[in-house]
Amino acid sequence: MKLLRRSRSHRQYVAVVAVLIAAQPPVGVRAQEPAMAGPAPGSLLLTESLRLDYRVLDEDGRDMLTEGTLSIEPAGDGSLRTAWRANGSSKEAEDAILDRRFGTVWWRSHYPDTGYDFVGQRTGDTVVVEGLFEGRPARKELIIDDRPFYFDWRLGLVDFVRSGEDKRQFWVLRPDNQKMYAFEARREDMETILVAGERVPAARVNWGLTGIRRPFYHGDMWFRAEDGVFLRGEQAGRITELIAR
């Protein structure tokens, strides 16, 4: 992580780092309930803790870029607390609170190799993000609408798969420039794919930017038909796949 040269910037750096190190998921954060959908049916609510191991490969599927564990813990109010921890020396970590429709309410991301260490929170149609970006303190206030916001698509689109909807629009945050983009997920035909040596029925979801920009950035994800667990994703020259549950 880069150190800032000027004394004032250095003081800002130290102050922000101190806040982030002490940051804990806020108590009593109110879940953002999307206006596009009513209360979630009971079948959409996660009631058990999950521990899922994933690996990320290059586009040829030969070289492993990273691997880690995603844990999901349901809370008594229907919200979820999630944590991603990368294995090895990278120390990459993400923590989040999701509402009962898997929309992101609060999160923290820690990427020491690139100097990103920030927290964010959605309140109504406003998302505030602050922390270190390439080692420099920054803060942004982003205005969206009532469509759901998914910081981690592997989790957010679980609700879409379980809902039976054919399409859903949602917001995503691009971490490197801290800008919001509207995306659309579309349900494709069911497929059977190979996961950890076993053939598993899966729901295929094609996603991309909305409107005429879709061809410029799009990809596919597969979710287990049984419960909506994310199995595999292909995007931006990378393959993410479940290796153990």
Side-chain angles (χ1 to χ4, degrees):
M1 190 177 289
K2 300 177 183 177
L3 292 178
L4 304 181
R5 295 180 181 177
R6 296 181 181 178
S7 60
R8 180 180 178 183
S9 296
H10 180 71
R11 290 196 299 271
Q12 291 176 323
Y13 174 90
V14 172
V16 172
V17 170
V19 170
L20 289 171
I21 290 175
Q24 296 293 329
V27 177
V29 170
R30 185 174 182 179
Q32 172 73 22
E33 296 292 349
M36 43 72 70
S43 60
L44 297 183
L45 301 180
L46 187 68
T47 57
E48 63 173 351
S49 300
L50 293 178
R51 181 183 173 90
L52 306 162
D53 295 326
Y54 292 94
R55 64 182 177 185
V56 181
L57 309 172
D58 64 10
E59 59 184 341
D60 296 322
R62 297 176 181 175
D63 297 327
M64 186 169 67
L65 304 178
T66 188
E67 64 178 354
T69 300
L70 175 66
S71 60
I72 308 172
E73 186 74 28
D77 61 356
S79 65
L80 303 170
R81 291 184 179 244
T82 71
W84 162 261
R85 296 293 182 269
N87 297 339
S89 60
S90 71
K91 305 301 181 183
E92 291 183 1
E94 293 180 355
D95 296 275
I97 297 176
L98 312 182
D99 65 26
R100 64 202 307 265
R101 299 302 300 258
F102 290 73
T104 306
V105 177
W106 176 94
W107 78 96
R108 179 194 174 188
S109 295
H110 178 62
Y111 307 130
D113 291 344
T114 54
Y116 291 107
D117 197 351
F118 53 90
V119 295
Q121 183 169 330
R122 176 176 186 171
T123 304
D125 293 341
T126 302
V127 177
V128 175
V129 188
E130 56 188 331
L132 297 175
F133 304 95
E134 296 183 343
R136 297 180 180 275
R139 183 182 188 276
K140 279 196 174 183
E141 185 173 305
L142 306 167
I143 305 301
I144 54 176
D145 56 24
D146 60 1
R147 285 175 288 187
F149 162 57
Y150 302 145
F151 182 76
D152 187 335
W153 312 357
R154 296 171 299 181
L155 294 168
L157 290 176
V158 168
D159 180 73
F160 167 66
V161 171
R162 292 181 172 189
S163 72
E165 298 170 13
D166 293 327
K167 297 180 181 180
R168 179 181 293 185
Q169 292 191 356
F170 57 98
W171 292 100
V172 302
L173 176 72
R174 180 172 164 177
D176 60 348
N177 64 9
Q178 300 300 304
K179 291 184 178 180
M180 286 286 188
Y181 295 87
F183 274 59
E184 183 177 79
R186 300 174 182 173
R187 184 184 300 271
E188 304 291 341
D189 293 337
M190 295 290 296
E191 298 181 0
T192 299
I193 65 174
L194 196 64
V195 179
E198 296 183 5
R199 300 191 68 80
V200 179
R204 180 176 179 173
V205 175
N206 180 263
W207 55 262
L209 290 163
T210 57
I212 62 175
R213 299 181 301 168
R214 190 179 186 89
F216 296 102
Y217 193 64
H218 60 94
D220 292 288
M221 287 182 166
W222 288 262
F223 297 81
R224 189 159 52 202
E226 176 188 358
D227 54 12
V229 165
F230 172 70
L231 299 175
R232 180 183 174 89
E234 297 177 0
Q235 69 180 92
R238 293 187 173 192
I239 299 172
T240 304
E241 61 183 15
L242 180 70
I243 55 177
R245 180 185 180 185

